[in-house]
Amino acid sequence: MITLDKTRIPQHIAIIMDGNGRWAAQRGKPRSFGHQEGVEAVRRITSECTRLGVKFLTLYTFSTENWNRPADEVAALMGLVLTSLEDEIFMKNNVRFRVIGDLSRIPEVVRQKLQDTEEHTKDNDTMTMVVALSYSSRWEMVNAMRDIIRRHDLGEEGYQDVSDIDEAMVARHLTTNFMPDPDLLIRTGGELRVSNYLLWQIAYSELYFCDTYWPDFMEEDLYKAIESFQGRQRRFGKTEAQVEEDLESEKE
């Protein structure tokens, strides 16, 4: 039985939901079947994150590289996005829905549903679920640089000189500018890479990898990831002694 420290729950968890296709293949089913079961995992993990007090849950749903997959799989995934957004999990759990990514490539009917769901849930404030759809971190950073250069060329205030560009400015131009960086990044499915996901934002995130395929990822697996997070000391470049001094100061 895992007992979590409720005072040290990560406020932002990002997840690379990997293994849907392999899960289906093991059962002699088409890859789309695995993606359907993956939606069930999203529902239960979203519900549990809200119960634990997580404030942001960011899910890597479909990367820009995934457009290279077989057309029938891409079509099935887009259809699944539509049906999964019908789920009342957002209202039942008071969850706000947001989406990040290159939506220009998304079919119009899907794009409209995404926008409608964002609008419908905009006043929910227990947790924000962020879906990374047609997203890649390199795409995001290139777009940020283009926007900064465009504003510089227009001579907008604060963009006149290259020295005006700092980390804060870049962060403001990322699609994730409305939320804090992830405290914990979880990847399921056994792969040990981050696959072009939130590269800027996870600079100091704690990473957790597990072999469990996403459709089999249960609440207990989430607890294990959070338990691992709670067992680590986050130093952000400081020494262990400095971190302990900061903690003592906070208690005073």
Side-chain angles (χ1 to χ4, degrees):
M1 180 68 179
I2 296 175
T3 302
L4 298 176
D5 181 350
K6 296 299 179 63
T7 69
R8 297 185 60 221
I9 298 296
Q11 292 301 284
H12 183 179
I13 296 177
I15 304 180
I16 300 174
M17 306 178 293
D18 196 17
N20 291 339
R22 284 171 287 162
W23 182 91
Q26 284 185 351
R27 290 158 177 78
K29 302 284 188 178
R31 292 177 60 86
S32 59
F33 181 74
H35 295 309
Q36 291 171 0
E37 290 301 309
V39 171
E40 295 302 318
V42 169
R43 290 171 179 152
R44 62 175 170 265
I45 296 306
T46 298
S47 295
E48 191 58 24
C49 281
T50 58
R51 191 188 72 80
L52 289 172
V54 175
K55 294 303 180 184
F56 291 90
L57 175 65
T58 304
L59 304 174
Y60 203 7
T61 304
F62 189 86
S63 72
T64 54
E65 292 82 9
N66 287 154
W67 288 110
N68 296 318
R69 290 190 174 187
D72 57 345
E73 182 177 354
V74 172
L77 282 166
M78 291 298 113
L80 194 56
V81 170
L82 270 179
T83 58
S84 63
L85 290 176
E86 298 290 347
D87 197 326
E88 281 301 303
I89 189 172
F90 303 113
M91 305 311 294
K92 182 176 67 175
N93 292 285
N94 195 32
V95 170
R96 184 178 185 181
F97 174 81
R98 298 289 298 267
V99 61
I100 58 174
D102 183 6
L103 300 188
S104 67
R105 301 184 67 178
I106 301 295
E108 174 59 29
V109 64
V110 178
R111 189 161 63 246
Q112 186 59 55
K113 184 62 179 178
L114 293 168
Q115 294 171 354
D116 290 346
T117 305
E118 284 191 327
E119 178 65 23
H120 183 55
T121 64
K122 67 180 182 180
D123 295 326
N124 293 350
D125 58 7
T126 296
M127 186 182 77
T128 298
M129 179 211 281
V130 183
V131 168
L133 188 65
S134 187
Y135 170 91
S136 80
S137 193
R138 289 182 176 181
W139 162 85
E140 177 184 39
M141 286 190 276
V142 167
N143 274 1
M145 295 305 104
R146 286 173 176 167
D147 197 31
I148 290 171
I149 293 170
R150 180 182 64 82
R151 290 171 181 258
H152 173 270
D153 290 346
L154 292 173
E156 293 187 17
E157 185 177 354
Y159 292 85
Q160 285 88 357
D161 192 88
V162 69
S163 62
D164 295 328
I165 301 174
D166 57 12
E167 290 187 16
M169 178 182 284
V170 174
R172 288 197 303 272
H173 286 270
L174 298 177
T175 60
T176 56
N177 57 24
F178 59 91
M179 61 179 174
D181 292 340
D183 300 299
L184 172 63
L185 170 68
I186 300 170
R187 179 167 188 153
T188 65
E191 303 292 354
L192 305 178
R193 55 179 177 266
V194 294
S195 296
N196 206 359
Y197 184 45
L198 301 175
L199 300 180
W200 176 281
Q201 297 86 343
I202 63 170
Y204 275 100
S205 301
E206 299 299 324
L207 308 182
Y208 179 85
F209 300 94
C210 67
D211 293 331
T212 305
Y213 292 149
W214 177 244
D216 286 334
F217 195 82
M218 301 294 175
E219 292 88 345
E220 189 73 10
D221 297 296
L222 176 65
Y223 304 157
K224 289 177 182 177
I226 297 176
E227 181 184 46
S228 175
F229 169 84
Q230 293 183 346
R232 307 179 194 183
Q233 184 185 65
R234 307 187 73 198
R235 295 194 289 273
F236 298 98
K238 295 183 178 181
T239 66
E240 183 175 349
Q242 286 177 306
V243 173
E244 290 176 353
E245 287 176 5
D246 290 344
L247 291 174
E248 288 301 320
S249 297
E250 292 175 4
K251 294 177 183 178
E252 294 176 359

